[in-house]
Amino acid sequence: MEAFIAQGARWHNATPVVCEVAGKIVSCACIFHREVWVGSKKKRFGGIGAVATRPAARKKGFATLVMKQCEETLREQGCGVAILFCSIVEFYRRLGWTPVKEEWIEFVAPHFLKEREYRIEAVPLNKIPDAIRALSTASAQSAIVRSKGLWQEYSRWQREDADLFWAAYEGDKPVAYVRGRRGKNNAEEIRLMDAAADGAHHSALIVLLGKQCEIVKGKGSERFHGFVSAEHPLAKALSMAGIKPTWEAAASASGVMMYKGLQENIGKEFLSAGDFGKALPWQTRTWWAADRF
Ligand SMILES: CC(C)(COP(=O)(O)OP(=O)(O)OC[C@H]1O[C@@H](n2cnc3c(N)ncnc32)[C@H](O)[C@@H]1OP(=O)(O)O)[C@@H](O)C(=O)NCCC(=O)NCCS
């Protein structure tokens, strides 16, 4: 347990929950205390991750017990909802969890590379400037609130292509950024990992997507896709650029996001299960850090 905390739990405001039999841990999980932007307010919720039972102790109800304890602990702390990402939906559905319907966007970006109104620069993944972090926070598109520890994790666990992280500047101030990675099966496709824009500068996103196209293929007409809500400023930017995307509600084949309402009478500072039914501009895939280090 000490090793677990020393390895990272302490940076990430996490609480381990374990089930012991005769002094030996047989099953465990970890609670993460997270916040998400809802408009200009931060709301708290709990993430549950690292759920595992020793192979010899499986099917005896230990993980179910650990999950119940995690939920009870979050309830006592005032949380209205808990979130997790998983690939074993049925296991959690049985325990009262619901998959989140995310919005999936696809579009072909035809020849974005018009005159650039913004200065654009590559962002070094291993040294993300504070101003870019602040943009993610200030633009507050219902992305998860990234603590220092979470930013550290984004830099260390590289899930995106470093050369597709670009920011647009007005003077010295970053006003938008995009992050992405090439498709697994088609290196010319771009998966949008994250996009943020200062309210007045959503058109800068188009310029940045154009730059990603240029890097990936050089022709400036690539297919983009990603989990992005129709409420995201990107939607407005695409519409203004005359690009018609396809939107659909989708659940990912792996890494399904699930939620469970824990209680209804909660403080204003807590996210509620009901918030999932509202058309908030959530870019849910930025929540992946909800349940891990
Ligand atoms: C998933 C896991 C945590 C379950 O632990 P456990 O202590 O055996 O769970 P419980 O005894 O409380 O519940 C067992 C029930 O869950 C079901 N279950 C287990 N794995 C499942 C899966 N992959 N998909 C659907 N149901 C599953 C079992 O069939 C059993 O149902 P039954 O009682 O009707 O037979 C354990 O199998 C494990 O550690 N797996 C590897 C790590 C992992 O996948 N963790 C989840 C990460 S999101």
Side-chain angles (χ1 to χ4, degrees), residues 96-111:
W97 292 71
T98 307
V100 175
K101 277 216 178 87
E102 300 180 79
E103 282 179 292
W104 177 258
I105 184 176
E106 284 189 355
F107 58 93
V108 172
H111 306 288

Side-chain angles (χ1 to χ4, degrees), residues 64 110 184 186 233 239 254 273 282:
T64 301
K184 271 198 191 121
N186 181 355
S239 152
S254 63
W282 287 352

Side-chain angles (χ1 to χ4, degrees), residues 27 51-53 57-65 85-88 90-92 94:
S27 189
V51 182
T53 299
R58 288 184 188 164
K59 294 206 173 202
K60 293 185 176 149
F62 293 135
T64 301
L65 211 58
F85 283 88
C86 74
S87 54
I88 51 172
E90 293 316 314
F91 174 72
Y92 294 104
R94 206 178 55 112

